[in-house]
Amino acid sequence: MSKQGAVLATKKSARRVLVGATIVGVDLGDQWSHYCILDEDGEITEEGRFRTSESGVAKRFEDMDHARVAMEAGTHSIWISEQLKEYGHEVIVANVTELHAISRNDSKSDRTDAEKLARYARLDPRILRPITHRTVEQQQALTMIRARDVLVRPRTAVVNAARGLAKPCGYRLPASSTRSFPARCAGLLPEGLAAALEPLFAQIAHMNAQIKLYDRAILKLATVTYPETQALTQVHGVGPLTAVTYVLTLGSKERFERSRDVGCYLGLRPKRSQSGDRDPQLRITKAGNEYLRRLLTECANFILGRFGKDSSLRRWGLHLAERGGRNARKKAIVAVARKLAVLLHRLWVTDQPYVPLHEAQAA
């Protein structure tokens, strides 16, 4: 048999195994989750629902024979997929936002979503654009980072509110770091205004203390739990927060065959709508993890700023910004963030020392 014939035979064999397997579609809900089971002929053999809890999942799936289970990516998909894998099931976590037949169905319901997930999983799992979840342990560590961000955002809002409330009274609060803001500004205001803003200053100081605790815990994650992040922090402008978030969000360095795919995954690639001779320049897709994309953008802004150290990445970004045009610097920051995402993955994979001016040394 020729090589091509052997490949076709293998595909046909895999197809027969798939058709003969039990396929389950699960539409996850916060309290109840609906499921649909298909037999080898694609006929519905059972439909129902189960409690979205560890005991509810165990009651329905623990004693079931090996099955292919397809579910949507969501709040509960990480721990439920882990639990189902422990029972020996094959789990497909679908990115259904890219499958309009489910996400934009005008007759959408939990029951029909479960059935469609099962039928797509039976036909070809690639239709569901399956994603790879991080582990439960990684998700718990990432929760610490996201909890920190929950405090950072309202702290910024309170600082801006204090500045805005002082202006109508004729006072402009001085520029300062967020950590020193309460102590520096409280003594500059008259008694009446200081009394009005004192609770805000106290709240900012309290949030500063809590954020500092998170920063210490994240630094420990970077140095003890995830030492591979040290390769990423070699890049000037990338700190432990960004490095740990990067590693935890991607989950594994083997997840991407090519480092440049990381930029696309994080939504830093421009959209494209080419048709005939028309190929307009569009904004980035903004797909993937919004928080990590924001961190990378902040790092890129620092790299291009006055405190950024000389490097090939900085030179390249400044060259883009110097081209002029509308929003030239903003476009350069996004481009540097995309290139930074690729660079960090490369450093993670190779574990090689970072050479800031690699092009100059190569010359």
Side-chain angles (χ1 to χ4, degrees), residues 221-289:
L221 283 176
T223 55
V224 179
T225 311
Y226 299 99
E228 59 268 32
T229 59
Q230 300 305 304
L232 280 58
T233 55
Q234 295 179 91
V235 181
H236 182 67
V238 177
L241 174 63
T242 302
V244 174
T245 305
Y246 187 93
V247 168
L248 292 177
T249 301
L250 269 60
S252 171
K253 60 184 177 182
E254 290 83 15
R255 181 174 180 178
F256 299 93
E257 294 183 2
R258 302 180 304 173
S259 295
R260 60 176 147 176
D261 291 337
V262 181
C264 302
Y265 168 73
L266 294 175
L268 292 167
R269 174 186 62 83
K271 297 179 183 178
R272 193 175 185 189
S273 181
Q274 186 270 335
S275 179
D277 296 332
R278 184 176 179 275
D279 193 4
Q281 290 186 352
L282 303 176
R283 295 184 177 183
I284 58 175
T285 63
K286 294 187 178 181
N289 189 279

Side-chain angles (χ1 to χ4, degrees), residues 134 137-147 245 248-249:
R134 61 188 66 90
E137 291 75 16
Q138 289 174 330
Q139 183 62 34
Q140 290 173 350
L142 194 58
T143 298
M144 181 183 300
I145 293 173
R146 291 177 173 171
T245 305
L248 292 177
T249 301

Side-chain angles (χ1 to χ4, degrees), residues 15-286:
R15 175 63 179 169
R16 286 196 296 271
V17 172
L18 174 59
V19 173
T22 301
I23 309 296
V24 184
V26 178
D27 184 74
L28 298 176
D30 191 52
Q31 298 295 328
W32 292 92
S33 297
H34 290 72
Y35 67 90
C36 175
I37 302 178
L38 304 180
D39 62 14
E40 59 184 28
D41 297 319
E43 299 295 329
I44 298 176
T45 60
E46 183 181 342
E47 291 181 291
R49 66 176 189 169
F50 59 89
R51 278 280 185 185
T52 309
S53 63
E54 185 176 350
S55 59
V57 174
K59 183 178 179 180
R60 184 61 198 85
F61 294 99
E62 186 173 15
D63 298 327
M64 178 185 286
D65 293 336
H66 172 77
R68 170 177 285 178
V69 184
M71 66 181 68
E72 300 178 60
T75 303
H76 300 285
S77 59
I78 294 179
W79 67 267
I80 290 181
S81 63
E82 289 283 335
Q83 188 174 349
L84 291 174
K85 288 177 183 177
E86 291 177 1
Y87 299 152
H89 300 302
E90 177 190 357
V91 182
I92 300 171
V93 182
N95 185 7
V96 294
T97 57
E98 297 193 22
L99 194 63
H100 295 174
I102 292 179
S103 61
R104 298 183 184 178
N105 183 15
D106 56 5
S107 298
K108 185 175 174 62
S109 70
D110 296 337
R111 178 177 170 275
T112 57
D113 286 355
E115 181 181 348
K116 285 185 177 182
L117 283 167
R119 295 197 180 280
Y120 282 128
R122 179 177 181 270
L123 178 63
D124 187 348
R126 289 174 296 183
I127 298 175
L128 295 172
R129 299 291 183 90
I131 65 173
T132 302
H133 268 319
R134 61 188 66 90
T135 65
V136 174
E137 291 75 16
Q138 289 174 330
Q139 183 62 34
Q140 290 173 350
L142 194 58
T143 298
M144 181 183 300
I145 293 173
R146 291 177 173 171
R148 176 189 181 277
D149 187 52
V150 170
L151 288 178
V152 170
R153 285 184 280 117
R155 181 183 66 174
T156 302
V158 175
V159 169
N160 292 338
R163 292 185 180 279
L165 291 172
K167 286 181 182 179
C169 299
Y171 291 88
R172 187 180 297 272
L173 297 179
S176 66
S177 66
T178 309
R179 291 183 177 178
S180 62
F181 181 81
R184 183 174 183 185
C185 298
L188 300 177
L189 301 175
E191 184 177 350
L193 186 57
L197 297 182
E198 177 58 33
L200 297 184
F201 293 146
Q203 190 64 35
I204 294 170
H206 177 69
M207 287 190 285
N208 282 340
Q210 297 301 314
I211 292 171
K212 188 175 182 179
L213 294 177
Y214 276 125
D215 289 339
R216 290 176 180 174
I218 292 169
L219 180 60
K220 184 177 180 181
L221 283 176
T223 55
V224 179
T225 311
Y226 299 99
E228 59 268 32
T229 59
Q230 300 305 304
L232 280 58
T233 55
Q234 295 179 91
V235 181
H236 182 67
V238 177
L241 174 63
T242 302
V244 174
T245 305
Y246 187 93
V247 168
L248 292 177
T249 301
L250 269 60
S252 171
K253 60 184 177 182
E254 290 83 15
R255 181 174 180 178
F256 299 93
E257 294 183 2
R258 302 180 304 173
S259 295
R260 60 176 147 176
D261 291 337
V262 181
C264 302
Y265 168 73
L266 294 175
L268 292 167
R269 174 186 62 83
K271 297 179 183 178
R272 193 175 185 189
S273 181
Q274 186 270 335
S275 179
D277 296 332
R278 184 176 179 275
D279 193 4
Q281 290 186 352
L282 303 176
R283 295 184 177 183
I284 58 175
T285 63
K286 294 187 178 181

